[in-house]
């Protein structure tokens, strides 16, 4: 059957909106990232998401929203995903290999974009888990460094290994021929773990509330005159961060009405 399937698939009609996988990396037993060829006509703003997926057993597309993790100038589109063993999509998506095809609906949308924020001095990217994906794009966007004096990326994960994707990316930026010079020392990376010992432990929300984040970074507080924020993580995280930012006087923005912060839920399963 195996051989028959493989032979058939070479003759099978192409998927609608097919994109060919070029690279897959497994970071932990819960996390993987992959790249696909970028459709020639696809333009997107850093921070946006697209619908991607596979054909379901019923022959219908099984699609989920995925933030584009690659920068808008890259030739490939990168995605960062959780693996849910009984998840309808990710139980299968985690097995993709270079050369395979996925479905990619070429209509990027989303609220985690520079256009939804008013000008400010500092920008904060607050992420948990796979919520770092849109920021993986935004920290490679020249506009991030043109628009702000300081850029902060916080990432809270359960374990140290779950930070690897983000840490490796941040470390690679200083040597990046395209963006390295712009990044300079403007970008501050603030990783935390909650379930495994690491140099900085605790939820970032706790570290904000008890003042640790401010004292470690030498900042007085968040304020609407200086700070802009983008939040991407679980529903509970997003709600807690919203309360913190609203409490500091920041208002939620949108594409149609820019303000001081924006929120989006990370893909969950
Ligand atoms: P915790 O271990 O305390 O639940 P997950 O892998 O479940 O998506 O979680 C990713 C990270 O987000 C975990 O470190 C988790 O911490 C943290 N987290 C979950 N909910 C919140 C929240 N409401 N505020 C801050 N961090 C959270």
């Amino acid at each position: 059957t195996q051989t028959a399937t493989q032979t058939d698939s070479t003759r099978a009609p192409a998927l609608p909106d097919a994109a060919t996988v070029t690279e897959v990396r497994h970071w932990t037993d819960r996390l993987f990232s992959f790249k696909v060829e970028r459709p020639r006509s696809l333009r997107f703003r850093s921070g946006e998401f697209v619908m991607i997926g596979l054909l379901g057993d019923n022959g219908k597309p099984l699609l989920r929203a995925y933030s584009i993790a690659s920068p808008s100038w890259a030739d490939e589109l990168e995605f960062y995903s959780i693996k849910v063993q009984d998840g309808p999509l990710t139980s299968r998506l985690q097995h993709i290999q270079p050369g395979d095809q996925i479905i990619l609906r070429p209509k990027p949308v989303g609220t985690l974009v520079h256009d939804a924020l008013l000008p400010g001095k500092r920008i904060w990217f607050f992420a948990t888990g796979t919520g770092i994906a849109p920021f993986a794009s935004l920290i490679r966007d020249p506009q991030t460094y043109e628009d702000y004096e300081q850029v902060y990326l916080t990432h809270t994960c359960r374990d140290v290994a779950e930070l690897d994707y983000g840490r490796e990316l941040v470390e690679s930026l200083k040597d990046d021929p395209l963006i390295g010079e712009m990044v300079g020392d403007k970008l501050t990376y603030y990783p935390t773990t909650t379930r495994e010992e690491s140099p900085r432990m605790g939820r970032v929300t706790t570290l904000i509330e008890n003042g640790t984040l401010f004292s470690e970074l030498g900042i007085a507080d968040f304020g609407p005159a200086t700070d802009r924020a983008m939040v991407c993580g679980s529903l509970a995280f997003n709600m807690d961060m919203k309360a913190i930012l609203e409490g500091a006087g920041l208002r939620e923005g949108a594409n149609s009405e820019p303000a001081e912060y924006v929120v989006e839920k990370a893909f969950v399963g």
Side-chain angles (χ1 to χ4, degrees):
T1 346
Q2 191 73 4
T3 322
T5 313
Q6 279 170 0
T7 314
D8 285 352
S9 72
T10 59
R11 271 184 274 120
L15 289 169
D17 295 328
T20 303
V21 177
T22 57
E23 192 184 309
V24 182
R25 259 185 97 173
H26 292 271
W27 296 87
T28 71
D29 56 4
R30 286 207 320 142
L31 294 166
F32 72 115
S33 62
F34 56 97
K35 291 181 183 171
V36 303
E37 282 173 2
R38 180 173 180 170
R40 274 173 182 279
S41 59
L42 190 130
R43 297 266 179 284
F44 68 97
R45 295 179 294 173
S46 307
E48 287 186 316
F49 65 82
V50 286
M51 303 302 292
I52 67 172
L54 297 168
L55 272 192
D57 293 333
N58 61 2
K60 291 199 183 128
L62 179 58
L63 303 172
R64 295 285 184 272
Y66 271 85
S67 292
I68 301 172
S70 42
S72 51
W73 39 263
D75 292 332
E76 293 171 311
L77 297 178
E78 181 184 348
F79 302 98
Y80 184 49
S81 180
I82 196 155
K83 307 176 202 174
V84 180
Q85 296 316 330
D86 57 358
L89 179 62
T90 61
S91 60
R92 293 176 47 210
L93 193 64
Q94 63 183 288
H95 299 297
I96 54 169
Q97 305 276 350
D100 289 349
Q101 293 193 328
I102 64 163
I103 302 168
L104 189 157
R105 296 272 190 254
K107 291 191 178 54
V109 287
T111 58
L112 302 180
V113 292
H114 283 305
D115 293 343
L117 295 177
L118 293 170
K121 190 166 155 242
R122 302 188 285 240
I123 187 154
W124 297 83
F125 299 136
F126 295 106
T128 62
T130 56
I132 194 172
F135 306 136
S137 180
L138 281 153
I139 61 171
R140 289 182 275 184
D141 184 342
Q143 193 185 346
T144 300
Y145 303 95
E146 283 160 8
D147 287 2
Y148 296 95
E149 289 173 26
Q150 295 295 326
V151 179
Y152 297 91
L153 169 65
T154 84
H155 194 200
T156 299
C157 290
R158 298 180 186 188
D159 312 330
V160 174
E162 294 185 342
L163 292 169
D164 285 350
Y165 173 82
R167 171 174 291 121
E168 196 173 292
L169 172 61
V170 169
E171 280 170 3
S172 73
L173 287 186
K174 50 180 179 299
D175 300 322
D176 190 299
L178 282 169
I179 190 91
E181 220 165 288
M182 294 196 86
V183 178
D185 49 18
K186 276 191 170 186
L187 175 65
T188 302
Y189 172 58
Y190 193 85
T192 89
T193 60
T194 52
R195 303 192 193 184
E196 187 186 1
E197 192 86 18
S198 78
R200 189 180 300 107
M201 292 203 61
R203 293 177 166 197
V204 75
T205 44
T206 309
L207 299 171
I208 293 168
E209 276 158 351
N210 67 20
T212 305
L213 174 136
F214 300 111
S215 62
E216 285 185 329
L217 297 179
I219 288 165
D221 201 352
F222 301 134
T226 45
D227 295 282
R228 302 292 173 262
M230 296 193 188
V231 179
C232 190
S234 65
L235 199 55
F237 173 69
N238 290 359
M239 285 170 57
D240 290 351
M241 278 308 308
K242 251 172 111 118
I244 288 171
L245 296 169
E246 296 271 344
L250 279 66
R251 297 162 305 149
E252 185 166 5
N255 275 283
S256 55
E257 204 178 348
E260 289 92 29
Y261 78 91
V262 282
V263 182
E264 210 153 67
K265 198 159 145 287
F267 173 72
V268 278

